[in-house]
Structures are given as C-alpha cells and as structure tokens.
Amino acid sequence: MARPKTSNYNSKSNFRYNPERGRPKIHQRGPEIQAFGTIAKLPIALGEKVCQASVERLNQILADTMTLRDLYKKHHWQNAGPTFYQLHLLFDKHYEEQNDLVDTIAERIQTLGGISIAMAPDVAESTIIPRPPKGREETPVQISRLLQAHEFVLKEAHAMARQAAEVGDDGTNDMLVSDLIRTNEKQVWFLSEHLVDVPLVRAD
Ligand SMILES: [Fe+2]
C-alpha cells in the first residue's frame, strides 16, 4: 500500500509548537470601538441625520419597553389572590412578548448604525415609566401599573412612527406599527378585561 503523503500540518519540522496559543487570553481591556450616541453608518440608503434621530427615539422606547418587560416579571412573581395561577401565566406570556420586542428594537438601533442601551442603570436613567415600590401590591394595582406603562409606550410609539414615516425611515415605522403597537394594544386588551367588575358565579 502506498504511504500517505505527509501534510504540512503533521510535519513537526515545519511548525514550532507554541504552548501559549492554546491558552485563553483573559483580562483584556481596550478602547471602545464606537462611542454611545454616534452613528457608524451602514449602506441602507438612509441619511446619517435620519439614522441619528431614529436611534435617539428608539433608545427611549427601548428603555421604556425594558422597564415594562421587567414590571411583568415582578408581577409574575409577586401576584396574589384567587386569580394567581392565570395571572402568573399571563404576566409571563406578556413578559416573553415584551422581551422579543426589546430585541427587535435594539437590533433596529444597531441596523441604523447606532448603539442600543443595554444595562439596567442606563435603563433606569432613561425610562419615563414611574418606578414601582419594591414591595408587593394588590392585583388591581399591579394591572393598573401595567396599563399605565403600556400607555406611555404606545403614546411615544405612535408619535415616533409618524416621525419615522415623515423622514423616510420606513423600516422603523413598520417595526413600530406592526410589532410594537400591535403587541402592546393586544396586551392592554387582555389586562383591561381583568378590571371589569362582573360577577364570577351568580349573575346580578
Ligand atoms: Fe416563572
């Protein structure tokens, strides 16, 4: 049988073994590659000023959507009362949907060449949604808080969608209308029906 041809990769004589190559290079630090608030423009046929304006507005709605998302998890954990199980599940479903929106908004910001906010202290600095107490609240209070937060988000989303359409940022307009506004409106419906005071067993 013919001997297999020796490849360069197997030949010890051609390559010097370096024990450092296999080790992870940890504790690295370096300068930022893009400063927050700046645009690293991509070829998406939109002007830099248009991208800059959309990124600023989207970061506001991102902060408020992250806050609304986290408000859902708080209430998912802290809910109490006879409707605990159904609301525990509903709040978590809405949490997951808001979490998807967070990713959609953040990735739109990056697509526009901007930098999305990400960390809790930055979110807390920017959000316009009032901070809830750390303690536990009654179910109707939880739902009212969520409805108020939804309305903050919807109000700014409507205004932003119009501005985006006016300057030709169709992708942002579509995302705000098709994803953000429709999801928030539907969640408002599901929440609101829990505050309708109808009898549970015996009709009035
Ligand atoms: Fe859970």
Side-chain angles (χ1 to χ4, degrees), residues 47-192:
E48 190 153 339
K49 277 194 177 147
V50 169
C51 293
Q52 180 85 48
S54 287
V55 163
E56 273 172 33
R57 293 188 196 112
L58 285 171
N59 260 326
Q60 180 61 53
I61 216 156
L62 177 61
D64 296 326
T65 300
M66 286 165 130
T67 306
L68 174 54
R69 174 197 64 184
D70 294 346
L71 200 54
Y72 268 113
K73 205 56 144 178
K74 171 178 167 64
H75 294 342
H76 163 76
W77 293 324
Q78 298 178 0
N79 187 254
T83 53
F84 170 78
Y85 188 57
Q86 75 164 81
L87 284 179
H88 180 68
L89 298 183
L90 181 72
F91 289 164
D92 218 23
K93 178 177 181 284
H94 285 193
Y95 169 89
E96 292 297 341
E97 290 168 0
Q98 290 293 330
N99 200 36
D100 287 345
L101 287 176
V102 164
D103 197 46
T104 302
I105 301 164
E107 292 185 356
R108 179 70 198 159
I109 291 170
Q110 297 298 138
T111 302
L112 289 165
I115 299 180
S116 51
I117 56 162
M119 302 308 293
D122 302 320
V123 174
E125 247 174 39
S126 313
T127 187
I128 57 169
I129 294 172
R131 182 178 179 173
K134 280 188 185 168
R136 227 171 162 195
E137 294 183 297
E138 291 174 340
T139 296
V141 179
Q142 290 185 326
I143 295 177
S144 298
R145 266 190 202 288
L146 289 165
L147 286 172
Q148 184 196 32
H150 275 294
E151 200 158 30
F152 274 119
V153 169
L154 279 165
K155 211 176 268 179
E156 57 193 0
H158 281 296
M160 269 180 220
R162 266 194 301 275
Q163 285 163 334
E166 277 164 20
V167 295
D169 186 354
D170 301 318
T172 295
N173 172 273
D174 176 56
M175 186 273 286
L176 289 170
V177 175
S178 307
D179 299 326
L180 199 106
I181 291 177
R182 285 178 199 272
T183 302
N184 275 276
E185 284 176 343
K186 192 161 183 187
Q187 292 187 351
V188 165
W189 173 41
F190 270 70
L191 288 181
S192 299

Side-chain angles (χ1 to χ4, degrees), residues 23-29:
R23 291 188 211 277
K25 291 156 187 63
I26 58 174
H27 302 310
Q28 299 198 54
R29 294 288 182 274

